[in-house]
């Protein structure tokens, strides 16, 4: 996280330069008065959508909490909508375009899944389970991990069949390789 903070001033500088360059290009094409009106209209639309997305996110969270479902999906969906509306409300044509793209449902779904995965990586599995619900896990059987308490036992064959027959060490503190599989949404 600290590495990313170092680049914030550079990202802000590049985004301001890009906004100015796009504004000048659009201003030369359609006129500066029309470009200014376009920026104001996008910002006004963003403010209206910011209110709407905030209310929608709050209602989704409340409904999930009321029905006893984990609220993670509604929270991430609301955050993506709020981010899109906030970018649209920010004065600038590039940010307005990015905000509009984030509000398109297929892109919004992809951004929500990415945000959810990022949040799951950054929090403990218990907190992620509470926020996003239980996970189905596929466990692939592999070679047991050697521990200091158990000496390694040589095996006669080393082919794939012998690997599939071996049981992983669970009680010795060894890790089980697995894959998180999202449950299908209705």
């Amino acid at each position: 996280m600290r590495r990313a903070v170092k680049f914030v001033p550079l990202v802000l500088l590049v985004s301001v330069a890009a906004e100015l360059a796009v504004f000048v290009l659009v201003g030369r094409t359609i006129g500066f008065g029309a470009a200014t009106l376009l920026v104001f209209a996008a910002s006004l639309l963003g403010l209206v959508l910011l209110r709407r997305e905030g209310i929608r996110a709050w209602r989704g969270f409340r409904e999930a909490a009321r029905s006893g479902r984990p609220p993670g999906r509604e929270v991430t969906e609301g955050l993506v909508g709020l981010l899109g509306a906030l970018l649209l409300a920010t004065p600038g044509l590039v940010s307005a375009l990015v905000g509009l793209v984030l509000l398109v449902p297929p892109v919004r779904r992809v951004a929500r899944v990415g945000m959810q995965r990022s949040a799951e990586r950054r929090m403990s599995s218990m907190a992620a389970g509470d926020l996003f619900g239980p996970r189905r896990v596929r466990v692939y059987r592999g070679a047991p991990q050697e521990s200091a308490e158990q000496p390694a036992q040589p095996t006669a064959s080393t082919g794939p069949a012998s690997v599939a027959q071996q049981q992983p060490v669970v009680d010795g503190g060894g890790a089980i390789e697995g894959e998180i599989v999202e449950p299908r949404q209705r």
Side-chain angles (χ1 to χ4, degrees):
M1 183 71 181
R2 288 184 183 205
R3 289 183 205 161
V5 173
K6 288 192 296 189
F7 296 110
V8 169
L10 179 63
V11 169
L12 287 175
L13 182 67
V14 168
S15 66
V16 167
E19 290 286 0
L20 285 173
V22 168
F23 182 77
V24 168
L25 286 173
V26 170
R28 285 185 179 170
T29 304
I30 64 172
F32 285 101
T36 304
L37 285 176
L38 187 63
V39 169
F40 282 135
S43 294
L44 185 62
L45 177 65
L47 290 174
V48 169
L49 287 177
L50 192 62
R51 182 175 184 270
R52 188 191 84 174
E53 290 297 325
I55 292 170
R56 177 193 240 178
W58 178 248
R59 283 183 184 157
F61 174 76
R62 243 186 11 203
E63 180 61 35
R66 186 178 301 136
S67 66
R69 290 181 289 126
R73 181 168 189 232
E74 286 78 10
V75 168
T76 52
E77 178 84 21
L79 286 175
V80 170
L82 285 171
L83 179 64
L86 186 64
L87 285 172
L88 194 56
T90 304
L93 296 173
V94 175
S95 63
L97 183 63
V98 172
L100 277 175
V101 168
L102 273 177
L103 293 174
V104 174
V107 176
R108 190 175 185 158
R109 224 173 289 122
V110 169
R112 179 188 59 80
V113 169
M115 186 179 283
Q116 180 176 335
R117 287 189 180 149
S118 175
E120 286 175 342
R121 277 194 305 261
R122 287 179 167 70
M123 63 178 57
S124 72
S125 59
M126 270 182 58
D130 289 343
L131 187 60
F132 299 111
R135 301 279 169 232
R136 289 186 323 179
V137 178
R138 285 189 192 149
V139 177
Y140 299 101
R141 299 193 190 281
Q145 301 291 323
E146 294 180 22
S147 66
E149 301 166 5
Q150 274 182 325
Q153 297 176 358
T155 58
S157 73
T158 58
S162 68
V163 171
Q165 294 171 355
Q166 295 175 351
Q167 297 294 322
V169 176
V170 176
D171 58 347
I176 299 174
E177 292 183 8
E179 172 183 333
I180 303 294
V181 178
E182 290 287 330
R184 290 187 178 178
Q185 301 295 327
R186 294 180 216 170

